Amino acid sequence: KIITKKNADYYTFKEALSYVCTHLAKKMAADGEGASKLFEATIVNAKSKVDAKTLARAIVGSNLSKAAIFGCDANFGRFLCAMGYSGADFNEEDVELFFKSKNGTLKVFDRGTPIVFDEDEALHIMQADEVTVFVDMHEGREEATAYGCDLTYDYVKINADYRS
C-alpha cells in the first residue's frame, strides 16, 4: 500500500521506521571494537535542534566521556567539558545532568551546582551495559539523542596492533 497523505497509516509507518532505525543505530554503536557498553547522551529542552544534536554528539564523541563510562566514573565535569567545547551556546546555570541505566537514575549536577551523591549508587548505575547521560538544558523545547560506546582497553589494544 502506498501512503500518499499524513493519515493513520503514515504515522504508524513513521513510528515503525523510527523504531527500526533507532534499534539498528544502538546495535551499531554498541558493537564498537572492544566495546563493553552502549553509551547514550540525551539532551532535552535545548534552544535549537542543532544545539541539541551538537551537544549529544559531543558527549558521546569525547574520549574523556567514553573513558568515564568504561571506568564507571560519575565525574559530571567530563560531560560538561564535552558540552563546553561542542560550540553550542548554553548557560551551565540552566543545566541539570543525570546518569541513567536499568539500575536507576542519579542527578549529579543541578543548574550550576554539583550535587553530593552516593558513590556506591553511582557505581551501581554506571555498571550497567547501557548507560545514558541525560541533560536537561532548561532553555527551549528541542531534543536529540546520540549513541556511542565506551573506550575500553581492548579498543586501544585492537587499534594499536595493526595498520590499515
Side-chain angles (χ1 to χ4, degrees):
K1 180 177 180 179
I2 297 174
I3 300 170
T4 59
K5 57 186 172 184
K6 289 186 178 183
N7 56 20
D9 289 339
Y10 168 85
Y11 291 106
T12 299
F13 176 77
K14 181 179 174 185
E15 183 178 331
L17 181 62
S18 178
Y19 174 83
V20 169
C21 290
T22 299
H23 177 76
L24 291 173
K26 286 180 173 185
K27 288 289 192 188
M28 288 177 10
D31 194 34
E33 293 173 330
S36 68
K37 296 179 185 192
L38 174 66
F39 171 27
E40 180 176 315
T42 298
I43 306 295
V44 298
N45 299 317
K47 287 180 194 173
S48 70
K49 191 64 150 177
V50 169
D51 281 346
K53 287 179 179 181
T54 299
L55 290 163
R57 288 177 180 157
I59 291 171
V60 298
S62 161
N63 283 339
L64 285 176
S65 294
K66 290 171 171 278
I69 294 297
F70 173 68
C72 302
D73 180 6
N75 180 350
F76 62 85
R78 292 185 176 190
F79 305 95
L80 287 172
C81 180
M83 293 169 62
Y85 65 62
S86 73
D89 180 36
F90 70 94
N91 182 350
E92 85 170 36
E93 300 293 322
D94 294 328
V95 172
E96 287 182 294
L97 193 145
F98 303 78
F99 295 111
K100 293 183 172 189
S101 76
K102 65 183 177 188
N103 297 339
T105 299
L106 181 68
K107 184 192 277 190
V108 294
F109 190 78
D110 186 13
R111 298 181 183 240
T113 305
I115 295 176
V116 176
F117 56 86
D118 182 316
E119 292 288 342
D120 290 334
E121 181 183 6
L123 179 63
H124 179 66
I125 289 167
M126 296 189 78
Q127 284 176 328
D129 57 358
E130 295 184 12
V131 178
T132 300
V133 174
F134 182 88
V135 183
D136 190 336
M137 303 301 292
H138 293 285
E139 295 183 330
R141 294 178 172 244
E142 296 299 330
E143 59 185 63
T145 299
Y147 306 102
C149 62
D150 57 350
L151 180 59
T152 65
Y153 300 124
D154 286 342
Y155 177 86
V156 175
K157 184 175 182 337
I158 288 166
N159 285 285
D161 284 346
Y162 72 88
R163 287 188 186 192
S164 50

